[in-house]
Amino acid sequence: MSWLWQEAQEQMAVSAAAQAQAEQEVRDCAETAAQAERNYRVELHKRIVTLRGQGTAATACESLAKGEPEIAELRYLRDVADGVLVAAKAALYRRRDDRADTLQLARWSQAREVADGSIGGDSRLSFS
């Protein structure tokens, strides 16, 4: 299966759009992960300060705070956001590779058309 010139151009545009969408998804996921990290750290810090103010040993404050349901939930949300970011980056790498494969197939298709003489109808490809 080879593509005609126009089909190759269309497939390359589809691949470029998919890559751009994947790049935006990574940006969105990075922002979500950063917000989740910030929320977790701020609330953890607040709880540690509160525990310390209540006379809890400084060495125990962080461990106790991390075990509290609200803080544990924020940590969970942070970890999930990090996992989603990792998956989005993997999808971006796949889209980049798909785009490279599309370009390679388009070049092969175009070379095949030239080699078998079936290329025609496109004034950009005529030689004078």
Side-chain angles (χ1 to χ4, degrees), residues 24-34 81-82 84-86 88:
Q24 184 60 51
E25 183 70 21
V26 168
R27 285 190 290 276
D28 294 345
C29 289
E31 184 176 351
T32 299
D82 285 343
V84 172
L85 177 58
V86 168

Side-chain angles (χ1 to χ4, degrees), residues 41-117:
R41 285 180 179 260
V42 167
E43 293 305 316
L44 178 63
H45 173 74
K46 286 179 186 177
R47 190 59 188 137
I48 289 171
V49 169
T50 300
L51 288 170
R52 187 67 186 120
Q54 293 172 348
T56 305
T59 55
C61 288
E62 184 175 354
S63 294
L64 290 172
K66 285 181 178 180
E68 293 186 4
E70 299 83 13
I71 303 300
E73 178 67 15
L74 289 172
R75 187 173 181 168
Y76 168 79
L77 293 173
R78 178 204 64 183
D79 292 347
V80 169
D82 285 343
V84 172
L85 177 58
V86 168
K89 286 179 181 179
L92 176 59
Y93 297 142
R94 281 194 313 274
R95 296 298 173 268
R96 182 198 61 203
D97 291 345
D98 290 347
R99 190 172 181 195
D101 290 345
T102 300
L103 179 58
Q104 187 174 11
L105 183 56
R107 286 179 177 159
W108 172 83
S109 293
Q110 291 164 2
R112 184 173 179 271
E113 282 189 52
V114 169
D116 70 10

